[in-house]
């Protein structure tokens, strides 16, 4: 085993960044760039205060008990790992609901921190559902109970948009310039969508505040990329063999990318030397990654989980699934992308297949399968519509959609039951109960979910027919037959 180790920077830092969503990705991606920046530059003024708004109080307290230091293991493969100690998180806060059903333990401390003139940047990884937007048209979900709460109780918010609005309102009232908001979640136009959520919510409270936010707050877009699976007991055991006994540790791949729109009125770390790519337009990179990497992940997740396959590595170890991914990426996703000159999408597809084949990561398909209703619009459906409108065909995507619909039943093709983790899980269950035996009616019922399926795609008779036939094949003949029917003459 080849192990490279990096200690944390010695300096005590000053907090200028507040992060919402103290999950694994934040700790293994953004925090690593900031740690490396502090190491190289000696500039300790970009320390982070990280908060969890949903679950994870134990993590917040464990980080506090560990003096906010934790480890990241970056695996190139099973035999090559870089171990980093991270010290840029200077504070951890919890504003979610605790086991006693109490909300907002550290909410006031979080809002005070965000309203402080020292805070210049707020970053987020709260998952796609944490913005409470309709995935297909970007409207704020005002009926959602948590958004409704934040509309009725704007000074004690429970959602990320609510916390941003209250903090910005306090800055405006105090005459403090607005902080910059940098979304680091896998959403298309993620900066603009975050702005939309915040401005729509602010408009429910005070039209002038909404206008001020529109005018004064920068919401740069970013493309974020590093595969960081949820930690397992095996991962902790592997780290223990390397002498790392750290409950807050995270494991990820060695590859890392961050492409960021350069719009930071209150300044930002000079992190280009750490590999952060500052660009004028992130959209081509974001769309490429969402459709090719994340689109492939979701294809593996639903098809693989139905066949009882556990991890991405296990799935791409199969020729049939690896061939399916290559076909999907090069024949359905790549033709819909307009990339800067010199971008080689074949090479990008090869690099993704190599990353998926990283034998050191146990990236569970069930983790990726989570929140399909929040992910598939940008990963598959916008691209499929563009491909069909250009006269192309999308058989792999149609098979993917059929597998997703079948997956939402909560039983795999071998009768094994699993939980469906999705904000729309109840809706899916009701649709299966109502139409489960009739693929045609079931598929058309799912296509009625315009929060997920763009109406123009739901009206595309050819696409609907290919999803129905793929669904019928999966349900009646199984996995291999469904893959084989991809090549069947239509
Ligand atoms: P995680 O499960 O470790 O953490 C999820 C975080 O989101 C937690 O802090 C949780 O409290 C918070 N959260 C969940 N639902 C929320 C809600 N409704 N409102 C507010 N906060 C909420 O997951 P991880 O790995 O940190 O991923 C988080 C996000 O990061 C992903 O959804 C994705 O957008 C982005 N990402 C993840 C990558 C990965 O490989 N893990 C890579 C690239 C992006
Ligand atoms: C994955 C992503 O869980 C998922 O949906 O597709 O988290 C993926 O690992 C990252 O986007 C890779 O950068």
């Amino acid at each position: 085993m080849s192990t490279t180790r990096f200690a944390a920077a010695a300096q005590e830092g000053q907090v200028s960044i507040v992060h919402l969503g103290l999950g694994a990705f934040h700790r293994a991606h953004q925090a690593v760039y900031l740690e490396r920046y502090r190491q190289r530059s000696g500039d300790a003024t970009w320390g982070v205060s990280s908060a969890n708004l949903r679950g994870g109080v134990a993590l917040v307290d464990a980080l506090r008990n560990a003096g906010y230091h934790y480890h990241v293991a970056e695996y190139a493969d099973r035999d090559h790992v870089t171990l980093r100690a991270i010290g840029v998180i200077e504070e951890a806060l919890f504003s979610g609901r605790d086991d006693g059903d109490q909300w907002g333990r550290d909410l006031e401390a979080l809002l005070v921190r965000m309203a402080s003139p020292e805070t210049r940047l707020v970053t987020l990884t709260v998952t796609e559902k944490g913005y409470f937007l309709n995935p297909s048209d970007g409207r704020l979900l005002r009926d959602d109970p948590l958004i409704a709460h934040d509309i009725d109780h704007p000074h004690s918010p429970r959602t990320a948009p609510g916390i941003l609005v209250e903090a910005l309102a306090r800055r405006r009232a105090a005459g403090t310039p607005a902080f910059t908001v940098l979304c680091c979640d896998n959403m298309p136009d993620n900066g603009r969508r975050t702005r939309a959520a915040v401005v729509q919510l602010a408009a429910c409270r005070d039209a002038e505040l909404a206008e001020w936010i529109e005018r004064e707050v920068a919401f740069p877009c970013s493309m974020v990329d590093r595969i960081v699976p949820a930690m397992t007991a095996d991962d902790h055991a592997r780290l223990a063999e390397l002498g790392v006994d750290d409950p807050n540790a995270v494991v990820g791949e060695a590859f890392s990318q961050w492409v960021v729109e350069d719009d930071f009125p209150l300044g930002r770390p000079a992190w280009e030397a750490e590999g952060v790519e500052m660009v004028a337009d992130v959209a081509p990179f974001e769309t490429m990654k969402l459709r090719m990497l994340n689109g492939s992940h979701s294809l593996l997740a639903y098809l693989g989980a139905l066949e009882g396959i556990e991890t991405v590595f296990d799935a791409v170890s199969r020729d049939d699934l690896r061939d399916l991914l290559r076909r999907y990426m090069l024949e359905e996703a790549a033709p819909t992308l307009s990339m800067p000159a010199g971008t080689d999408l074949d090479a990008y597809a090869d690099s993704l297949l190599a990353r998926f084949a990283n034998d050191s990561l146990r990236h569970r398909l069930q983790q990726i399968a989570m929140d399909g209703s929040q992910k598939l619009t940008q990963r598959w459906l916008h691209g499929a519509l563009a491909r069909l409108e250009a006269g192309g065909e999308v058989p792999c995507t149609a098979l993917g959609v059929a597998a997703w619909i079948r997956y939402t039943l909560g039983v795999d093709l071998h009768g094994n039951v699993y939980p469906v983790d999705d904000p729309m899980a109840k809706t899916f269950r009701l649709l299966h109960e109502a139409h489960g035996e009739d693929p045609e009616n079931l598929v058309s019922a799912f296509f009625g979910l315009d929060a997920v399926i763009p109406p123009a795609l739901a009206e595309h008779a050819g696409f609907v027919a290919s999803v129905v036939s793929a669904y019928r094949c999966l349900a009646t003949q199984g996995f291999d037959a469904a893959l084989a029917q991809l090549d069947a003459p239509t």
Side-chain angles (χ1 to χ4, degrees), residues 25 128 186 224-228 253 289 293-294 297-298 355 363 367-368 375 379:
F25 182 62
E128 293 85 344
N186 284 328
V224 293
D225 190 4
R226 171 170 259 184
I227 297 172
V228 182
E253 62 176 336
K289 189 244 172 181
L293 188 159
N294 298 111
H297 259 178
S298 293
R355 289 170 58 195
H363 199 185
Q367 178 184 0
I368 301 170
K375 294 178 177 179
R379 292 181 183 206

Side-chain angles (χ1 to χ4, degrees), residues 21-25 52 54 125-128 130 185-186 224 226 228:
L22 180 51
F25 182 62
N52 253 342
R54 189 71 73 264
T125 54
V126 292
T127 79
E128 293 85 344
D185 276 300
N186 284 328
V224 293
R226 171 170 259 184
V228 182

Side-chain angles (χ1 to χ4, degrees), residues 172 178 195 199 208-218:
R172 177 171 173 251
R195 174 200 295 275
V199 169
E208 283 177 19
L209 172 61
E211 280 159 27
W212 182 83
I213 292 173
E214 279 267 34
R215 211 177 42 249
E216 301 295 331
V217 184

Side-chain angles (χ1 to χ4, degrees), residues 176-227:
T176 306
F179 47 62
T180 299
V181 178
L182 180 62
C183 173
C184 298
D185 276 300
N186 284 328
M187 292 193 301
D189 282 337
N190 57 7
R192 277 175 274 290
R193 289 182 74 93
T194 307
R195 174 200 295 275
V198 171
V199 169
Q200 289 179 67
L201 185 59
C204 300
R205 169 179 171 164
D206 170 352
E208 283 177 19
L209 172 61
E211 280 159 27
W212 182 83
I213 292 173
E214 279 267 34
R215 211 177 42 249
E216 301 295 331
V217 184
F219 291 84
C221 290
S222 78
M223 183 271 253
V224 293
D225 190 4
R226 171 170 259 184
I227 297 172

Side-chain angles (χ1 to χ4, degrees), residues 15-21 26 30 47-51 91 93 109-116 119-124 163-164 171 179-180 182:
V15 172
S16 295
I17 302 176
V18 168
H19 181 80
L20 306 182
H26 162 60
Q30 179 202 351
V48 185
S49 166
S50 291
E91 177 183 59
L93 300 169
L110 174 60
L111 291 169
V112 167
R113 175 66 78 184
M114 293 172 77
S116 151
T119 296
R120 294 182 272 167
L121 176 59
V122 174
T123 55
L124 302 100
I163 286 170
L164 288 166
R171 290 177 83 104
F179 47 62
T180 299
L182 180 62

